[in-house]
Amino acid sequence: MNEAPLPPAAARGALLDAWVAKRAEIARLEGEASELLAARADLFDADVRADPQHRDMIRRSMIAEYSAAGHISKTAAELGFNDAAALSEFFPALRRALRQGDITAQHVRVLVAAAAPVREAVLNGNLDAETLAVYETAALTIAEHETPARTRPHARQITAALAGESIRERHARAASERQITIRPLDDGLALLTAVLPEVYAVAIMDRLRSLATAVAATVGPDARPEFVAADGRTRREIEADTFIDLLLAATPSEALGTGLDRITATVQVTIAGSTLAGEDDRLAELDGHGPLHPDIARDLARRASGWNRLFLDDAGMVTKVDRYTPTTAMKRFLRARDQRCRFPGCHTPARRCDIDHNEDFALGGQTEITNLSDFCPGHHALKHPDIDAGHRWTAHQLPDGTLRWTSPIGRAYDDRAPRRVMFV
């Protein structure tokens, strides 16, 4: 006897559940693969003990074989061995979480990399060995509920709180590595690489995007986020053209439209009031990215026309925003609280998002903080009333600021408002 077909929503839900289960299975297999790399690393140690003068060649040979057998790059093989060694030696809880499918190999890569200053400080005797366990516990709590991209800035915040002095030293050393390089590619292209302090790299990218947006607006009314109607250039192409124009002509040319010289870069930085006043040298925070050297943060604050004062509760959540130059209070609060798009997993900066009524204004939703959030254009569109109800999402804000999205098949997904760095 044939079973009755599943209703459309149930069918979609069943496929989603199967996909989530398969992803967890993949993570568990990644954990098993990491264990195999760790076991191979133990054999490497034994080989080196037997022939120490050829340590480098023995490792290069091992990496080359795994790269060839796995059809992966040398760099990927090296990173795999490094992560496996870190899990085996320093991070037992992360190791268990990966084996259980609670986090992915991408999470491990992010967490191990972010922990480098803590590991360095422990090895140098500047921090107790137990500090690594503190980092691991705090970072894993984030990773189990966030994407790798969102986990990274949180992990870097934790590292900054635990090993701030080490990070300041690393930043000072790394500043001497800034450089511009060029490598020819095929078809008349070349790869121009700039290694810069992160805050300036973020600012450069922000200005290029802002300029490209302004150019697209001047091309024609049919311009879309993906393509510009009049000449067919993508936004990435416009950004590249603007980059060339700015470097070679110093100011935007007429070909890119008028008035672009008034568009400036925007970055969002959080700094303790005592650090801003020069009373201490606590690390600041480049929101959405990670720690920022206090000297750079103070310099940015001196140049800013205005800045927000944030009031935090004991958990590091924004409770109030004050600003010394006039602007719209609600917008300031939301930008400060949300930092990025409030759809689960999205990390589009709040400055490029739309402020949305979670409960539609036309349906009685109030214009108040408890009913407003930042959504990027792509995720904002998921709630549009002109979308068929069978494909429309809804969002509801809980008392603690968490956004609860409900999918067309009735599944709920929570997005917690990001906590700010606590200067301790």
Side-chain angles (χ1 to χ4, degrees), residues 72-129:
I72 58 177
S73 69
K74 169 179 172 289
T75 299
E78 287 180 326
L79 289 173
F81 273 103
N82 291 342
D83 291 345
L87 291 179
S88 178
E89 185 174 358
F90 299 108
F91 303 116
L94 294 184
R95 185 180 183 181
R96 286 193 300 272
L98 181 60
R99 286 294 303 270
Q100 294 168 3
D102 296 331
I103 60 175
T104 67
Q106 289 77 21
H107 285 99
V108 169
R109 180 70 41 81
V110 163
L111 295 178
V112 168
V118 180
R119 291 169 59 187
E120 179 183 89
V122 169
L123 291 174
N124 291 337
N126 297 324
L127 290 176
D128 295 334

Side-chain angles (χ1 to χ4, degrees), residues 44 56 179 191 274 320 355 389:
F44 163 77
D56 182 60
Q179 59 179 306
L191 178 65
S274 57
K320 182 182 176 182
I355 293 179

Side-chain angles (χ1 to χ4, degrees), residues 254-278:
E254 290 297 320
L256 290 178
T258 58
L260 296 190
D261 56 327
R262 292 190 295 273
I263 297 176
T264 59
T266 301
V267 295
Q268 186 162 300
V269 173
T270 303
I271 182 173
S274 57
T275 308
L276 185 63

Side-chain angles (χ1 to χ4, degrees), residues 251-397:
T251 56
S253 68
E254 290 297 320
L256 290 178
T258 58
L260 296 190
D261 56 327
R262 292 190 295 273
I263 297 176
T264 59
T266 301
V267 295
Q268 186 162 300
V269 173
T270 303
I271 182 173
S274 57
T275 308
L276 185 63
E279 298 173 4
D280 56 55
D281 280 327
R282 302 177 189 180
L283 286 167
E285 181 75 14
L286 178 59
D287 288 357
H289 295 273
L292 180 66
H293 196 283
D295 288 345
I296 296 177
R298 281 190 285 258
D299 182 60
L300 291 172
R302 282 193 294 269
R303 298 168 187 270
S305 59
W307 40 277
N308 294 330
R309 181 172 58 173
L310 308 182
F311 297 83
L312 312 180
D313 61 19
D314 292 339
M317 297 296 296
V318 175
T319 59
K320 182 182 176 182
V321 175
D322 187 19
R323 185 177 175 89
Y324 296 113
T325 56
T327 186
T328 305
M330 257 181 206
K331 184 176 180 180
R332 286 191 281 108
F333 181 93
L334 292 168
R335 294 290 189 260
R337 183 196 68 185
D338 293 346
Q339 298 187 45
R340 36 72 176 164
C341 172
R342 293 296 306 282
F343 188 86
C346 184
H347 52 94
T348 300
R351 62 183 177 275
R352 299 209 305 272
C353 292
D354 306 322
I355 293 179
D356 172 77
H357 286 77
N358 305 153
E359 303 291 338
D360 290 345
F361 181 79
L363 300 178
Q366 298 298 305
T367 304
E368 54 191 16
I369 293 297
T370 55
N371 190 45
L372 297 171
S373 303
D374 285 288
F375 300 148
C376 71
H379 289 125
H380 191 179
L382 294 176
K383 294 177 69 269
H384 282 181
D386 56 351
I387 297 178
D388 182 84
H391 302 287
R392 190 189 314 138
W393 289 66
T394 60
H396 173 68
Q397 191 170 158

